[in-house]
Amino acid sequence: MFERSKKAALFIKRLTAVAAVPALFVIAVFLICLSGPNQAGAMYMVSNDGPVHVDDLEGSVFLTDGSAGLVSRVSGSELALTPGLWVTVTHQEEQYTTLSQSETLNQLLERLGIQPSPLEMAAVSFPDGGIDVQVGGQFVFYEHISTVTEHETIYQYNSDKPDWQETVLQEGWDGEYTEVYEIIYEDGRQTVRQLIDVIDVEPQSTIIEKGTMDNFANNSDPVSNIITNDDGSGIITLENGQTVTFSSMRTMRGTAYTTGGSVGTRTASGTAVHVGVVAVDRNVVPLGTKVYVVSNDGYCNYGFAIAEDTGVRGNTIDLYMDTNRECIQFGVRECTVYILD
């Protein structure tokens, strides 16, 4: 969090605070200059992440984010440190390292022989569970004031997908407009506050594809069980736990086809051919019928499909496949066709 540089003969401290608006998270900085040989002014980070909220503080009470176990006191000079933590103190370009004891911050400085002037301030941070104390006459504080714009969730509906299926097509994120202010404290008082940067991140919508087809599954969705009732109806259970019902089942002559030659890329229903489309005799199986198809010899579990094409006669079902090689390998096989509700 802290970064040091040199300006004239003064020590420069860089602090960063983030305030999210309209979120409740607020970081405040309190500055008090105290008189006396060891009474350095105190600049302590106060955060709503700690055990006490900023609104609960009264008077000159200081509280850190709680990571180092610091407790609130009535003034910065009485800020008690948790014993047993490594403390690094930087003063006038000299660095001191020690283990904290049951003591206040100013008692620690006195133990190390550090005597800040009345115009010097102390800034405390807690890297890696330790304590970092910077003592100097000048601090530069970078305040980030942000406004968050929540992103939208947009649904795109697909009538070819089952109604239980949702697929995230694009991950979204919130937008954030941030103004960065540089605030300079010198000799115990604020001397400069100026806008130095603007960061504008536009929100991106989350896009989700949602299926709308009732009592259906994707062509390749694996099936775990099929239960058939005495009347020929039954239930198909998928491995993902979803269920599909069928009203009847029949044995049909199965063949296969693909595009090329006299076969175009559009079905008799006007849709594009793809795996999951079957051709039928519309007098035997009406167009638009949803089916589940398996070969009786166990060679092919074609899966869920819709009767969208024609070109065959009688009790035949023609399965669309991507390649001519697949069609030749399938040949002609007896298939069980489950007619879905």
Side-chain angles (χ1 to χ4, degrees):
M1 175 180 287
F2 292 90
E3 175 184 350
R4 296 190 298 274
S5 61
K6 196 171 182 182
K7 182 177 181 182
L10 298 176
F11 180 84
I12 298 179
K13 181 63 189 178
R14 300 176 185 265
L15 298 174
T16 301
V18 178
V21 180
L24 295 178
F25 179 71
V26 177
I27 289 182
V29 173
F30 292 82
L31 178 65
I32 288 185
C33 290
L34 306 171
S35 59
N38 274 346
Q39 302 297 304
M43 181 183 291
Y44 301 120
M45 302 304 294
V46 181
S47 168
N48 269 346
D49 281 348
V52 178
H53 286 192
V54 173
D55 293 343
D56 298 330
L57 304 178
E58 296 180 359
S60 299
V61 179
F62 299 88
L63 184 74
T64 71
D65 61 8
S67 62
L70 294 177
V71 297
S72 61
R73 289 293 186 268
V74 295
S75 71
S77 63
E78 296 179 4
L79 194 67
L81 304 178
T82 298
L85 298 178
W86 283 107
V87 183
T88 300
V89 181
T90 304
H91 179 234
Q92 295 180 354
E93 300 185 357
E94 294 290 333
Q95 194 170 85
Y96 308 80
T97 301
T98 184
L99 277 173
S100 61
Q101 302 175 5
S102 296
E103 59 193 344
T104 65
L105 173 61
N106 277 322
Q107 288 172 340
L108 179 141
L109 295 178
E110 187 173 313
R111 177 163 63 87
L112 295 176
I114 299 173
Q115 296 188 4
S117 73
L119 294 180
E120 287 184 315
M121 302 168 290
V124 183
S125 65
F126 310 97
D128 302 323
I131 302 176
D132 183 45
V133 181
Q134 305 285 344
V135 180
Q138 184 185 87
F139 293 100
V140 180
F141 169 62
Y142 291 97
E143 180 183 20
H144 293 65
I145 300 177
S146 298
T147 300
V148 175
T149 303
E150 292 186 358
H151 70 283
E152 294 181 306
T153 298
I154 299 173
Y155 286 91
Q156 294 181 353
Y157 296 98
N158 189 335
S159 60
D160 294 329
K161 298 293 180 68
D163 57 5
W164 48 262
Q165 181 176 329
E166 290 189 3
T167 304
V168 178
L169 302 180
Q170 174 178 283
E171 294 283 357
W173 58 72
D174 291 340
E176 186 171 9
Y177 176 83
T178 302
E179 293 181 343
V180 183
Y181 290 86
E182 182 180 68
I183 304 172
I184 300 176
Y185 289 92
E186 292 185 276
D187 301 333
R189 63 188 180 89
Q190 179 179 316
T191 58
V192 174
R193 187 179 192 274
Q194 59 184 353
L195 177 67
I196 61 169
D197 195 13
V198 172
I199 304 170
D200 191 6
V201 178
E202 293 292 330
Q204 174 169 291
S205 299
T206 294
I207 301 177
I208 299 176
E209 181 185 62
K210 182 175 176 60
T212 61
M213 187 176 292
D214 183 36
N215 196 54
F216 196 59
N218 298 303
N219 169 260
S220 59
D221 285 340
V223 169
S224 63
N225 190 33
I226 300 177
I227 298 176
T228 304
N229 301 319
D230 292 339
D231 63 357
S233 65
I235 299 175
I236 301 173
T237 302
L238 309 181
E239 286 188 358
N240 61 15
Q242 298 291 332
T243 58
V244 176
T245 61
F246 58 92
S247 59
S248 63
M249 52 186 292
R250 64 179 67 179
T251 301
M252 300 184 71
R253 175 176 177 267
T255 58
Y257 78 109
T258 190
T259 56
S262 61
V263 179
T265 59
R266 309 300 292 184
T267 68
S269 301
T271 59
V273 291
H274 59 275
V275 175
V277 166
V278 296
V280 295
D281 183 337
R282 69 178 72 197
N283 295 317
V284 177
V285 178
L287 288 180
T289 299
K290 295 175 289 186
V291 297
Y292 178 70
V293 183
V294 294
S295 64
N296 291 348
D297 61 4
Y299 171 80
C300 176
N301 180 355
Y302 187 73
F304 295 92
I306 301 177
E308 294 183 328
D309 213 350
T310 57
V312 296
R313 298 291 183 183
N315 193 46
T316 297
I317 187 166
D318 205 10
L319 315 178
Y320 178 83
M321 297 184 179
D322 282 329
T323 66
N324 190 57
R325 179 181 178 84
E326 290 175 290
C327 295
I328 293 173
Q329 289 177 337
F330 183 81
V332 179
R333 298 174 188 270
E334 185 180 83
C335 294
T336 296
V337 179
Y338 298 86
I339 308 299
L340 306 186
D341 291 328

